[in-house]
Amino acid sequence: STPKPSSAASDVYKRQLETHGEKAALIWEPDDPGMPSRRISYRELHAMVCKMGNALRRIGIGRGDRVTIYMPMIVDTVAAMLACARIGAVHNVVFGGFAPASIADRVRDCGARAIITADEGRRAGRSIALKANVDAAMKMPGMEGVRNVLVVRNTGAPIEMTAERDYWLDRLMDRETEECVPERMNAEDPLFILHTSGSTGKPKGMLHTTGGYLVYAAYTHAAIFDIRDSDVFWCTADVGWITGHSYIVYGPLANGATTVVFEGVPSYPDASRFWHVVDTVSYTHLRAHETRHDL
């Protein structure tokens, strides 16, 4: 039988608003240990996702369109994934450490119509020129299908903007409301495409569908980690890998948990960084990320 359409993926966390609206959905831990962490409630995240979803629709992105997300580990990255899901667009997250050629390979493979990036990222005390990498990728053959590049202000670094192609995402979002009607999707409709790392050959885009993936992510997160309402869950993966998709974003948020977005690396400023964060913030669950990137 034909699956009944559902907005479960695009509204993956909204059902938490009634009971967990003021609860922290995300805790952002910055790369610089001297900077304060940031807590974002379910209500704040919902408003951010709605405004971003409306902005994407405003520039012509809709159901079935692919959107590449090349971002650092910041709150806006999670919002971008959920905004795509909310309007039925298929997100394709590219690890923020990849070079222009790797970006172009993945954009061409999935047929992205837009790229969401940031001016720069931060990693181990260094600045990563994300927008400049996207600009270099856009000059490569086969990138003509990308109509827009949306840029998040992260470090405030000066960057080049191409007229009628590049837009500051915050300016687009400022014009939008905090209500965005979610697209109703079938269980087997695409949710996202994620590429293999490419370490053993040409990267392969793996398609994950709406219903099955969400059930898997939510169930395994709840059952394996025995999540309780007061828990704070930290998966140390990057959101550019499947572990980050499942156990930073979709699993924890579907279960109403508080999940951690860690901008840094475990060795900066020294090898005690993880344990310093655990001690000072009192996380209850630490899910370390392995080096394999199976999808």
Side-chain angles (χ1 to χ4, degrees):
S1 62
T2 302
K4 183 180 179 181
S6 169
S7 59
S10 55
D11 218 9
V12 69
Y13 58 89
K14 186 180 178 182
R15 62 190 173 87
Q16 307 297 341
L17 292 180
E18 293 182 4
T19 55
H20 296 96
E22 306 312 316
K23 178 181 177 179
L26 306 176
I27 298 177
W28 177 70
E29 286 291 339
D31 179 63
D32 182 353
M35 292 177 61
S37 60
R38 178 185 172 198
R39 291 175 178 259
I40 296 87
S41 71
Y42 273 88
R43 201 171 307 283
E44 290 170 325
L45 180 60
H46 173 66
M48 187 176 184
V49 168
C50 284
K51 295 183 77 168
M52 196 178 295
N54 288 332
L56 289 172
R57 278 176 170 160
R58 182 82 63 181
I59 64 169
I61 300 298
R63 184 186 183 122
D65 291 329
R66 275 78 68 199
V67 177
T68 293
I69 300 172
Y70 177 65
M71 293 273 282
M73 288 289 288
I74 56 177
V75 172
D76 305 75
T77 307
V78 176
M81 295 169 66
L82 295 174
C84 288
R86 192 169 187 82
I87 66 172
V90 182
H91 64 70
N92 167 230
V93 178
V94 175
F95 172 53
F98 280 150
S102 296
I103 301 168
D105 283 344
R106 289 157 174 79
V107 168
R108 288 190 295 255
D109 184 69
C110 75
R113 288 186 56 191
I115 298 174
I116 303 176
T117 189
D119 48 12
E120 287 183 336
R122 300 182 184 91
R123 191 173 179 86
R126 296 178 292 110
S127 295
I128 311 298
L130 300 179
K131 177 56 165 59
N133 286 344
V134 169
D135 288 343
M138 288 294 294
K139 296 176 182 178
M140 296 180 179
M143 296 292 285
E144 297 81 6
V146 178
R147 299 181 184 180
N148 296 113
V149 177
L150 308 181
V151 187
V152 172
R153 299 178 199 268
N154 187 38
T155 68
I159 59 172
E160 296 291 331
M161 297 288 279
T162 299
E164 300 182 2
R165 186 197 75 183
D166 300 349
Y167 297 95
W168 290 107
L169 187 52
D170 61 340
R171 291 183 180 176
L172 296 180
M173 291 172 63
D174 284 344
R175 306 171 187 172
E176 304 298 338
T177 69
E178 296 181 359
E179 290 296 329
C180 176
V181 177
E183 191 75 21
R184 297 190 65 83
M185 309 295 287
N186 286 304
E188 291 301 304
D189 283 339
L191 177 59
F192 63 85
I193 296 170
L194 189 61
H195 287 81
T196 55
S197 62
S199 57
T200 58
K202 181 179 174 58
K204 291 169 277 295
M206 309 298 288
L207 175 66
H208 294 256
T209 57
T210 297
Y213 172 77
L214 274 178
V215 171
Y216 147 80
Y219 177 75
T220 55
H221 177 258
I224 294 173
F225 301 108
D226 189 26
I227 293 299
R228 309 299 173 89
D229 191 59
S230 60
D231 290 335
V232 178
F233 186 82
W234 183 11
C235 172
T236 64
D238 189 283
V239 79
W241 311 119
I242 189 61
T243 312
H245 279 55
S246 300
Y247 300 128
I248 295 176
V249 182
Y250 286 107
L253 296 180
N255 291 327
T258 297
T259 181
V260 178
V261 179
F262 180 56
E263 185 183 34
V265 296
S267 57
Y268 177 78
D270 57 52
S272 69
R273 180 67 191 278
F274 272 10
W275 313 119
H276 173 74
V277 172
V278 170
D279 285 343
T280 55
V281 187
S282 300
Y283 298 137
T284 60
H285 289 63
L286 177 65
R287 196 282 189 198
H289 179 50
E290 72 282 357
T291 56
R292 295 181 63 191
H293 306 306
D294 296 333
L295 304 183

